[in-house]
Amino acid sequence: MSTTTYFIRGASLAGGEPSDLLLIDGRIAAIGADAGTHEAANTAEVIEATGLIALPGMVDLHTHLREPGREDAETVETGTRAAARGGFTAVHAMANSTPVADTAGVVEQVHNLGQRSGWVDVRPVGAVTVGLAGERLSEIGAMADSRARVRVFSDDGICVWDPVLMRRALEYVKAFDGVVAQHAQEPRLTEGAQMNEGEVSAVLGLAGWPAVAEESIIARDVLLAQHVGSRLHVCHVSTAGSVEIIRWAKSLGINVTAEATPHHLLLTDEMVRSYDPVYKVNPPLRREADVMALRAGLADGTIDIIGTDHAPHPSEAKDCEWAQAAMGMTGLETALSVVQHTLVETGMMTWADVARITSTTPALIGRLGDQGRPLALGEPANLILVDPAARWTVDPTTMSTKGRNSPFAGMELPGSVRATFFHGHPTVLDGALATPRPYTGVPA
């Protein structure tokens, strides 16, 4: 499609009144009545959007794209296709690739792959420590100054357990307004752990993963962030106690943000009774009380955002006994539907709230200047059109990700992404992949 002008007719802006949008050369050129009277509207490609909700393109602060090194599980190309279909226009690629993204060279490689793919904006996350080994700091400054302009640093998958290293990392990123995203897991308390520690683990005879292993690290780190005066982000919060600690920290003015995953908003450790490794994840699925606490934390602003923790694996890593199975679940293509099911349809959030937790706030945390912007005149045309009345049954074999390890397989979910516009270019139309944004060599 050669046109760069699109006329979106009758979309409900963030769940509000229906309106028209005119997109020209990657920006929102007119809204409402002005869109229809603009001279460019006569030659624009028309997108009928009656009954659809227009939201800012979603931003994921927590995605595993696996490339380089684990292309059998995912690539930047397949992962970003999945992201576009899920309604994302930007994703942060976690550092646990092979080699680890702990140097300027590796983060630039990931960034370049994203630019050339053209489906979404790919922002690399830099490792906090060399090789994720937790022994010495990585090239944090070099990654921040690189063409990738890294602002989020994480050893996700492994906790930065050494308090001295964590303090130094917080001090380092403060110099350029970066943030450390911590995987909160005290390693000594989770040695050999297989699932949440509780009634179900006792019945199944599986080694338990206590909530305090997460909560103790969060408590330590919010105090470190307060001492240093730096930004801390807590990855995949999963327990009610963690929510309370973060709520307390925010009441003191500590600069901490936090995320919850879609799967922790819906699934519980009861699923593990099946011994199906698709439910094996880090942190583990928790109790129903934890699920409800996470939902409440998102509703009252204690938890700031949704992070998918999209973690694809090759089939052999999940088609095995529970103890040998890899931890992780796919999530990019189901995230918005789970959010609609757990937060919108329960009356806990409006669509405007959804825009805040899936787009505006994650873009702010990641310091993405041209993402997460409101649907307003002159803003970059990163937006999605959602059909809230749609219902679909999750079938991992039809997804764009290489991973088939969706915990929602066979489940009926609400909502469907009908279109995704990435800097004014339609990457998804009529619910199907269209074309990537052409690569020009100029950053999006």
Side-chain angles (χ1 to χ4, degrees), residues 33 110 118 131 138 177 221 251 264 300 314 349 362 377 389:
V110 174
S138 65
D177 194 27
D221 286 353
S251 74
H264 284 114
D300 68 19
M349 281 193 167
L377 187 65

Side-chain angles (χ1 to χ4, degrees), residues 305-440:
I305 67 170
I306 294 294
T308 70
D309 196 8
H310 174 77
H313 290 290
S315 59
E316 59 269 20
K318 286 289 190 178
D319 294 340
C320 55
E321 292 184 359
W322 178 277
Q324 281 71 50
M327 294 181 180
M329 302 169 168
T330 60
L332 287 170
E333 292 165 85
T334 49
L336 186 57
S337 291
V338 175
V339 167
Q340 179 179 338
H341 177 59
T342 58
L343 297 172
V344 178
E345 294 188 342
T346 57
M348 299 183 76
M349 281 193 167
T350 66
W351 283 105
D353 294 326
V354 171
R356 170 173 53 83
I357 66 171
T358 64
S359 181
T360 307
T361 304
L364 179 63
I365 295 170
R367 297 300 190 253
L368 306 186
D370 57 356
Q371 293 281 354
R373 308 288 294 177
L375 301 183
L377 187 65
E379 294 292 352
N382 295 310
L383 62 97
I384 61 175
L385 299 175
V386 180
D387 181 359
R391 293 292 184 273
W392 62 291
T393 300
V394 178
D395 180 357
T397 66
T398 66
M399 291 181 171
S400 292
T401 174
K402 279 191 174 185
R404 297 293 175 254
N405 52 308
S406 171
F408 309 112
M411 188 179 297
E412 184 180 82
L413 292 176
S416 172
V417 176
R418 304 306 301 162
T420 302
F421 285 85
F422 175 42
H423 286 280
H425 180 89
T427 54
V428 173
L429 284 174
D430 296 323
L433 287 172
T435 60
R437 183 175 184 263
Y439 177 68
T440 63

Side-chain angles (χ1 to χ4, degrees), residues 288-308:
E288 181 73 14
D290 297 306
V291 169
M292 293 299 107
L294 293 176
R295 293 185 189 183
L298 277 160
D300 68 19
T302 300
I303 300 177
D304 302 85
I305 67 170
I306 294 294
T308 70

Side-chain angles (χ1 to χ4, degrees), residues 202-219:
V203 170
L204 299 181
L206 292 174
W209 192 308
V212 71
E214 175 175 303
E215 296 157 3
S216 60
I217 293 295
I218 295 174

Side-chain angles (χ1 to χ4, degrees), residues 55-80:
L55 299 171
M58 296 198 299
V59 176
D60 192 10
L61 211 66
H62 195 148
T63 304
H64 296 275
L65 295 181
R66 304 303 190 198
E67 191 175 11
R70 288 305 310 272
E71 290 82 1
D72 58 328
E74 192 78 286
T75 65
V76 171
E77 174 71 20
T78 59
T80 55

